[in-house]
Amino acid sequence: MKRTDLPALSIFATVARHGSFRGAARAEGISVSAISHAVRGLEESLGFRLLDRTTRSVAPTEAGRRLLEGLAPALASISDAIEGAGETGHQITGTIRLSVPRSAAELVLLPLVLAFTKRHTGAAVDMRVEDGLTDIVAGSFDAGVRFGESLEQDMIAVPIGPRQRTAIVGSPAYFETHPTPATPHDLADHVGIRRRFAGGALYDWEFERDGFAMTVAMQGPITLNDDGLIVEAALAGAGLVYAFEGQVLDSIKAGTLVRVLEDWCEPFSGFYLYYPSRRLMRPVMRAFIDCVRSSPQ
């Protein structure tokens, strides 16, 4: 590989991250034709195709994905070094890219981001809300937020926000025609608003009491993949929903949703901010981690 290919490698990573030449052009501040020329020249230099191109999308080939896996840490280190060299005094500058599920964004992260950017006016946070499990290294993210059991072992994890708790709720109108369940076994006689993960799997409701755990595969005619819509369906009387307590607490207090099986919904460890171990970390990322560590748990 020629040394002149280094800028093209960065452009290739940007195209892969945005999934289009046009998106990469906007991010890099150059023309679409310049982006296309750089990638084509890189492929010719390497001797293999890096991207599969269609009229609607651009995606890495198998060789392209392997290159990205090794390339992302190197590009991140270069970016860290350049940004670190540009730091002056105690001014924190730069952009942090985060991959975050919607529930974590709403319940714990957004207030932290607002406080962080207010304190460090030269810093910015680019938060991508996505419920699928994303490879943050291949996606060139600085960090992600997930539950502890979803984390890879080679990641550094920092607790973010308080312990979480789930809630089973339905509308008063729903309970006019359905009995109140006393145990999770009684849910067999109820209608559930089901949740589908980004990968396609349906979520089985999880319960625990006094050390005994069980799951229930709910049945019902409505399946959704958005937390807000799921709660809206419950408010409309379509069935029971399994939600985070923080998402429905106001509705419970207002009486528009009724909580059941509360003794089967024990608190559990909440979300974690996770990031790859690097010897060199940008000051803006260190400052954000400090913000997370100092937040109420």
Side-chain angles (χ1 to χ4, degrees), residues 38-177:
V39 173
R40 186 166 55 251
L42 179 61
E43 290 177 325
E44 292 174 356
S45 175
L46 296 175
F48 51 83
R49 182 180 290 275
L50 296 171
L51 296 169
D52 284 326
R53 305 158 175 84
T54 69
T55 56
R56 293 187 177 182
S57 65
V58 176
T61 63
E62 181 61 32
R65 285 192 291 271
R66 288 197 300 268
L67 178 59
L68 282 170
E69 289 175 0
L71 189 62
L75 290 177
S77 294
I78 292 171
S79 177
D80 292 352
I82 293 173
E83 192 167 308
E87 298 291 339
T88 57
H90 297 288
Q91 177 71 15
I92 298 296
T93 62
T95 299
I96 300 170
R97 298 186 69 248
L98 303 175
S99 171
V100 185
R102 182 171 298 278
S103 53
E106 294 174 347
L107 294 172
V108 299
L109 195 61
L110 186 57
L112 275 174
V113 167
L114 296 176
F116 176 73
T117 53
K118 182 177 181 180
R119 179 178 179 182
H120 301 289
T121 56
V125 177
D126 182 353
M127 184 165 57
R128 181 182 295 181
V129 177
E130 49 190 1
D131 287 330
L133 294 177
T134 299
D135 185 335
I136 61 171
V137 174
S140 297
F141 290 99
D142 293 289
V145 176
R146 292 291 182 269
F147 285 120
E149 63 266 22
S150 302
L151 302 182
E152 297 179 7
Q153 292 184 351
D154 58 348
M155 293 289 171
I156 298 175
V158 179
I160 180 170
R163 288 170 62 82
Q164 296 293 322
R165 195 181 186 196
T166 56
I168 312 302
V169 294
S171 71
Y174 174 84
F175 285 110
E176 288 178 2
T177 57

Side-chain angles (χ1 to χ4, degrees), residues 218-239:
M218 291 296 294
Q219 300 300 315
I222 299 176
T223 302
L224 301 167
N225 69 343
D226 180 86
D227 292 340
L229 291 177
I230 289 173
V231 174
E232 288 295 323
L235 289 166

